[in-house]
Amino acid sequence: MCDSHGHSHDGCSHEAIPDIPDVYRYDMCSHIDFDKVTVLNEAVEGSGKKVFKSMEQKDDKTKFVDSDCDAELLFNIPFSGHVRITGLSIVGEDNETHPAKIKIFKDKEAMSFDDCSIVADQEIDLKMDSRGLVDYPLKASKFGNLSHLSILVCANFGADETRVHYIGLRGEFQHEFRQRIAIATYESRAQMKDHKNAIPDAVGRTLF
């Protein structure tokens, strides 16, 4: 597991967050393959994937995930095709359970906490944000073409457990997986050679 729990957050809970206009769209949840999403160290099984809501539901506090034995959470997020992720937003409680630091990994499928010792593609120190007003841009050179994203919550603001209400991802869908495209193309074509041994229903029948 990550050992990034010791850094100080003095005064963070009182840091002012400007009430900025809603200029970003966090709508990549529509491209997440929810059947394959896994969240490690969630206190309630299946609760972690519920934080990937539509942007219009980000203020819904009835759906959230709590960490279990410590402050860490690991989200493994597969997409339905290749995507470009340009930024994210994280909503938590306005207290010490809010995530304070995350590490983000590209295309590392089925990550476990034992895998978190590798160098992350990006690390972000978070502000305490209970309204989803802070946008965190991602490095364009790192997240321009991916099919899987892992987000590790390394630490919170001092509580024993972490609570997350919402994770919004912004970006764009690029293209389907090539294997799916190939299968769809094959099935859409009427290949006569595939039926050369078939006898049409109207041929060879004896009429009485």
Side-chain angles (χ1 to χ4, degrees):
M1 290 190 179
C2 244
D3 55 0
S4 307
H5 297 277
H7 59 283
S8 173
H9 304 289
D10 293 342
C12 288
S13 61
H14 303 291
E15 186 173 354
I17 298 175
D19 191 0
I20 59 176
D22 179 18
V23 295
Y24 296 112
R25 290 295 306 173
Y26 303 98
D27 53 8
M28 294 304 292
C29 68
S30 61
H31 302 295
I32 294 175
D33 188 347
F34 280 96
D35 290 338
K36 297 179 181 178
V37 172
T38 61
V39 182
L40 303 188
N41 199 39
E42 57 183 359
V44 178
E45 185 177 356
S47 60
K49 65 177 62 179
K50 295 179 181 179
V51 305
F52 297 98
K53 315 165 191 175
S54 67
M55 188 173 179
E56 289 70 27
Q57 296 177 316
K58 71 176 182 177
D59 295 325
D60 178 7
K61 302 298 185 182
T62 63
K63 296 179 182 179
F64 56 85
V65 59
D66 287 331
S67 63
D68 190 8
C69 61
D70 57 25
E72 294 184 327
L73 284 165
L74 177 57
F75 299 87
N76 285 311
I77 313 156
F79 296 94
S80 57
H82 289 275
V83 300
R84 181 168 70 98
I85 303 298
T86 56
L88 57 83
S89 174
I90 296 184
V91 174
E93 295 281 351
D94 193 18
N95 57 36
E96 294 181 343
T97 66
H98 194 291
K101 184 180 182 67
I102 60 173
K103 293 184 177 182
I104 308 174
F105 305 86
K106 169 188 175 180
D107 287 334
K108 303 294 183 184
E109 296 185 20
M111 282 194 74
S112 68
F113 286 109
D114 292 335
D115 301 318
C116 295
S117 59
I118 65 175
V119 177
D121 292 294
Q122 188 167 344
E123 298 185 22
I124 302 175
D125 291 317
L126 304 177
K127 299 178 184 292
M128 196 177 292
D129 180 15
S130 62
R131 297 174 57 196
L133 298 177
V134 181
D135 178 84
Y136 300 98
L138 299 191
K139 299 175 182 177
S141 60
K142 293 287 188 179
F143 304 98
N145 182 27
L146 59 93
S147 60
H148 190 282
L149 195 71
S150 295
I151 301 175
L152 172 68
V153 176
C154 295
N156 58 28
F157 286 91
D160 292 333
E161 291 84 30
T162 296
R163 175 168 290 188
V164 177
H165 284 281
Y166 170 78
I167 296 179
L169 301 173
R170 63 177 171 87
E172 61 182 5
F173 186 85
Q174 294 184 309
H175 56 81
E176 297 280 352
F177 294 124
R178 289 181 179 177
Q179 182 179 9
R180 294 180 184 177
I181 294 175
I183 292 173
T185 301
Y186 174 82
E187 291 179 345
S188 66
R189 292 176 179 172
Q191 301 286 351
M192 289 305 296
K193 66 181 180 180
D194 295 336
H195 307 284
K196 62 183 179 182
N197 295 322
I199 300 176
D201 291 341
V203 178
R205 287 182 178 176
T206 302
L207 301 179
F208 294 98

